[in-house]
Amino acid sequence: MNHFLSVHDVNDLNALVSAGLAAKKTPFADQHLGQNKTIGLMFFNQSFRTRISTQKAAENLGLKVISLNVGSDSWGLEMEDGVIMNGTKAEHVKEAAAVIGRFCNIVGIRSFATLADQAADYAEQVFHQFRKYAGVPIVNLESATRHPLQSLADCITIAEFKKTQRPKVVLTWLPHIKPLPQAVANSFSEWMHQSDVEFVITHPKGYELAPEFAGNAPVIYDQDEALKGAHFVYGKNWSSFSQYGQILTEGRDWMIDDAKMSLTDGGYFMHCLPVRRNLKVTDSVLDGPQSLVIEQAANREWSAQAVLREILLSL
Ligand code: CP
């Protein structure tokens, strides 16, 4: 593996899941791989899990870690080529990417969607520019359209907890007070399409994911109907793609509670976190035996370790 930007950079998803599970059993078995090497983690947006899990995974592999918040720890970065830089951004990505590429063997980047311009967000300019100018492998720590390290952790979690060979996995839209990007839902859908699962998407009308991410998954607009017989319920809010970045409905009746979970086949509840309690999902579900959210978050370490290991092996 060179870059890790999406599931399309993965040769063998099952092998990557197995590598994550192996890392969980013996975290320090590959410490030699990262010796005398450095990873740089650049955050254009806030993070809790991604920052600490990626740092922990890198250190398990013997890597040194440099982590910075772009714009507060460093200069604001200009992404457009050919502009007169007379605004607030003091450094161009051409220099910044090239410089961090000289100090680091791998660069991880988090840069969310602005939700202001669909074409710009879906063009993933920040990742294209770093890939072009850094000269080292780039790892997606959540981009405008995808969150593949989260999706791999989700696959690892499903592999650990599934009780049937081909479980039913339901991605359900949840209510929220703020417009959120589609990245987690897009990415989860993309990874489920590559997995041996029965995958169903449910959301209110108007929240259809971009066709390249929704793929051929059945979309059921009746949440109760979709949840019937589910083994895994994956909750997430996202804003509209077609009416880009808009909240179309309050959707309070889409919150997951015990009654909804009782429609499943003893199903587990999953969410990437952070989660707003009693808005998206009730306390009783999150605190109950069906919740996998902490296991899922803990598996972020092993998804990051599996990916960084593959990249280190290819350096
Ligand atoms: N799930 C996830 O990516 O968490 P953070 O936004 O806290 O990194």
Side-chain angles (χ1 to χ4, degrees):
M1 186 187 291
N2 187 10
H3 302 288
F4 179 72
L5 300 178
S6 77
V7 74
H8 305 298
D9 294 313
V10 177
N11 282 332
D12 184 338
L13 195 155
N14 289 331
L16 200 58
V17 168
S18 297
L21 291 168
K24 190 168 186 171
K25 275 197 189 130
T26 53
F28 309 115
D30 293 313
Q31 271 227 317
H32 58 285
L33 288 179
Q35 234 175 17
N36 303 324
K37 293 189 171 65
T38 302
I39 184 169
L41 304 178
M42 300 182 67
F43 289 90
F44 289 75
N45 307 95
Q46 290 165 309
S47 171
F48 177 53
R49 276 148 293 274
T50 303
R51 186 188 294 264
I52 58 180
S53 62
T54 309
Q55 175 156 353
K56 186 92 186 320
E59 290 173 358
N60 291 346
L61 290 163
L63 283 157
K64 293 183 189 67
V65 181
I66 297 170
S67 184
L68 60 87
N69 300 312
V70 179
S72 53
D73 295 343
S74 67
W75 307 110
L77 291 187
E78 177 59 57
M79 293 292 157
E80 296 290 341
D81 289 333
V83 294
I84 299 170
M85 288 176 58
N86 58 1
T88 55
K89 292 169 181 168
E91 180 147 33
H92 200 279
V93 66
K94 280 190 186 181
E95 284 80 42
V99 167
I100 198 163
R102 295 293 184 96
F103 291 130
C104 298
N105 305 88
I106 305 171
V107 175
I109 299 167
R110 165 167 282 202
S111 177
F112 290 171
T114 63
L115 296 180
D117 180 338
Q118 185 190 77
D121 284 344
Y122 275 66
E124 297 280 18
Q125 185 189 40
V126 173
F127 285 81
H128 282 291
Q129 295 290 61
F130 270 91
R131 189 173 166 158
K132 191 167 168 188
Y133 297 119
V136 295
I138 303 297
V139 174
N140 185 342
L141 305 178
E142 187 170 345
S143 69
T145 64
R146 292 179 169 98
H147 196 0
L149 284 177
Q150 179 66 55
S151 306
L152 175 56
D154 301 335
C155 289
I156 291 170
T157 310
I158 290 170
E160 280 184 306
F161 285 88
K162 72 177 184 181
K163 293 173 189 146
T164 57
Q165 185 54 38
R166 192 165 184 274
K168 178 176 176 181
V169 179
V170 179
L171 168 63
T172 180
W173 182 92
L174 302 177
H176 203 279
I177 53 165
K178 283 168 51 181
L180 298 186
Q182 297 98 30
V184 170
N186 282 345
S187 197
F188 185 70
S189 180
E190 204 168 46
W191 284 68
M192 286 301 102
H193 278 93
Q194 303 287 328
S195 302
D196 187 17
V197 298
E198 179 194 346
F199 182 53
V200 171
I201 303 175
T202 182
H203 54 69
K205 285 192 177 163
Y207 284 95
E208 290 77 11
L209 298 173
E212 66 267 32
F213 291 105
N216 61 2
V219 175
I220 300 175
Y221 296 110
D222 178 336
Q223 189 190 38
D224 287 358
E225 189 59 34
L227 292 175
K228 280 180 190 162
H231 300 107
F232 295 91
V233 177
Y234 194 97
K236 185 70 184 86
N237 170 269
W238 62 91
S239 58
S240 175
F241 174 73
S242 55
Q243 295 176 67
Y244 194 61
Q246 301 298 307
I247 294 178
L248 307 180
T249 174
E250 201 181 354
R252 294 301 296 265
D253 51 335
W254 283 73
M255 178 175 71
I256 294 291
D257 58 14
D258 288 322
K260 297 210 171 160
M261 290 305 292
S262 72
L263 298 169
T264 69
D265 184 5
Y268 290 111
F269 178 78
M270 298 177 71
H271 189 287
C272 65
L273 302 183
V275 68
R276 289 179 183 250
R277 284 173 171 255
N278 305 309
L279 178 71
K280 294 166 115 179
V281 52
T282 59
D283 281 337
S284 60
V285 171
L286 278 174
D287 297 334
Q290 289 165 288
S291 174
L292 292 182
V293 298
I294 303 302
E295 291 302 324
Q296 200 182 339
N299 280 336
R300 290 294 306 275
E301 181 176 353
W302 316 118
S303 73
Q305 189 157 334
V307 167
L308 294 179
R309 178 181 175 275
E310 271 224 16
I311 292 173
L312 287 169
L313 284 169
S314 73
L315 287 180

